[in-house]
Amino acid sequence: MRASKLVMCALSSTQALTRLDEALVRSVQCSKQARKALARGDVPVAWLDVTAADDAVAERLAPLLAGPARCAHDDDAFEAHNARTKREFVELFAGDGLDPANNELAPATAVAVARGLDLNAADAFCDLGCSAGALTMAVAVATEARLAHGVELSPRGTERALLAKERCGDDRVDFFQGDLRDGVDHAAYDVFYCGIRGVASRPRVLGDLLETLCAQDKPYRLVCAGFGVDIRGLYEDRVSLVRATVLRRAGAGASYADAIPLYGEGEGPRVLLEYSIT
């Protein structure tokens, strides 16, 4: 298993290397290959603490991410909201078997993830399936990345993300509506994060994405939130699983119960997997 200089640099901002407990390994979705590598201890693993400093940055981030007020269930606007949701699903998600569920990180968690990416002024970042843009905005607020962009298939999600961009006023930030596989100028970026839902559709979507990235003569980093990729086929010789990161509150232990879920509250995936594309 290869470990790049980028990976070791990023690990410097986390806690000591350790092995994951069985429950954390099992929480990784979509890739038996990744679970086996983690269980064998083949992959460097680090815990990233969400700190009081992250909370302070999140306080500045939260107002930028504020969404519209919720409609009452007997309000005409609520009916219009539901009708638009159904239309988006039918037109953009259902035909390709995609999951439209939002996957928005809490502000402090987004800040910690952004910090853990160890981005510098030469890096162009893109969140693939950015929802309302929390992580992209955290990258802009908490790092020196050259670009902080996001692509989202849902037009409504993109509209909300663009509202956050307007509030921020940072020229590095932008959001686009489109499919993460063919609606992005991938060559414009260096680091990708992907937190899309859909256990059934993810392998196909990520396979298409990796084939696109590997067709280009450029290295990339791809961070997957809670799921892995079986490395095979056309991109087998260029893609490596190089590290795993688990988030926790500062002072917590190192078990599944201590790890911060990546998809909201309660049960679910808790391991970030980083792939190097060389």
Side-chain angles (χ1 to χ4, degrees):
M1 190 66 62
R2 292 172 290 185
S4 68
K5 182 178 179 182
L6 276 171
V7 171
M8 301 317 295
C9 177
L11 286 173
S12 68
S13 66
T14 65
Q15 301 299 304
L17 295 179
T18 184
R19 294 185 68 165
L20 296 180
D21 70 19
E22 184 178 349
L24 280 167
V25 172
R26 288 200 311 267
S27 80
V28 173
Q29 298 177 349
C30 298
S31 176
K32 290 182 179 178
Q33 190 181 81
R35 289 192 294 273
K36 288 179 179 178
L38 290 167
R40 290 193 303 262
D42 293 344
V43 184
V45 176
W47 287 80
L48 178 60
D49 291 347
V50 181
T51 66
D54 295 324
D55 292 333
V57 176
E59 288 182 5
R60 305 197 332 255
L61 179 63
L64 304 177
L65 300 172
R70 292 183 178 273
C71 304
H73 284 203
D74 57 354
D75 194 313
D76 289 345
F78 181 77
E79 294 298 326
H81 173 90
N82 284 347
R84 184 178 183 189
T85 298
K86 181 176 180 180
R87 186 168 63 251
E88 281 192 5
F89 174 74
V90 170
E91 295 177 355
L92 298 173
F93 293 88
D96 206 14
L98 304 178
D99 189 332
N102 293 330
N103 180 25
E104 201 70 62
L105 295 171
T109 304
V111 170
V113 170
R115 176 169 55 81
L117 291 172
D118 204 45
L119 301 170
N120 59 47
D123 290 321
F125 170 83
C126 185
D127 185 353
L128 302 171
C130 66
S131 190
L135 180 58
T136 301
M137 297 301 300
V139 166
V141 170
T143 81
E144 297 181 351
R146 178 170 57 88
L147 295 176
H149 289 179
V151 60
E152 170 57 43
L153 187 56
S154 165
R156 188 172 58 203
T158 308
E159 289 169 8
R160 184 170 167 186
L162 287 169
L163 179 59
K165 172 195 170 181
E166 292 176 10
R167 292 169 175 160
C168 177
D170 190 327
D171 290 340
R172 297 175 300 155
V173 176
D174 209 351
F175 296 98
F176 311 96
Q177 189 275 321
D179 192 307
L180 65 85
R181 294 167 289 182
D182 54 21
V184 182
D185 179 10
H186 299 97
Y189 305 101
D190 309 293
V191 182
F192 296 101
Y193 177 96
C194 186
I196 60 172
R197 299 284 191 109
V199 172
S201 58
R202 271 200 211 112
R204 173 169 45 86
V205 172
L206 268 292
D208 292 345
L209 173 66
L210 285 172
E211 288 189 18
T212 298
L213 296 181
C214 288
Q216 302 175 29
D217 186 20
K218 180 181 177 179
Y220 296 101
R221 296 167 58 197
L222 172 64
V223 178
C224 297
F227 59 92
V229 178
D230 284 337
I231 303 169
R232 61 192 176 206
L234 298 177
Y235 46 81
E236 173 171 39
D237 295 332
R238 292 193 56 194
V239 181
S240 306
L241 175 58
V242 290
R243 71 161 172 154
T245 302
V246 188
L247 280 82
R248 64 182 174 190
R249 291 298 310 185
S255 70
Y256 177 86
D258 297 302
I260 295 174
L262 298 171
Y263 300 160
E265 302 295 331
E267 301 299 314
R270 305 179 183 215
V271 184
L272 294 169
L273 296 180
E274 179 169 328
Y275 290 85
S276 174
I277 302 164
T278 58

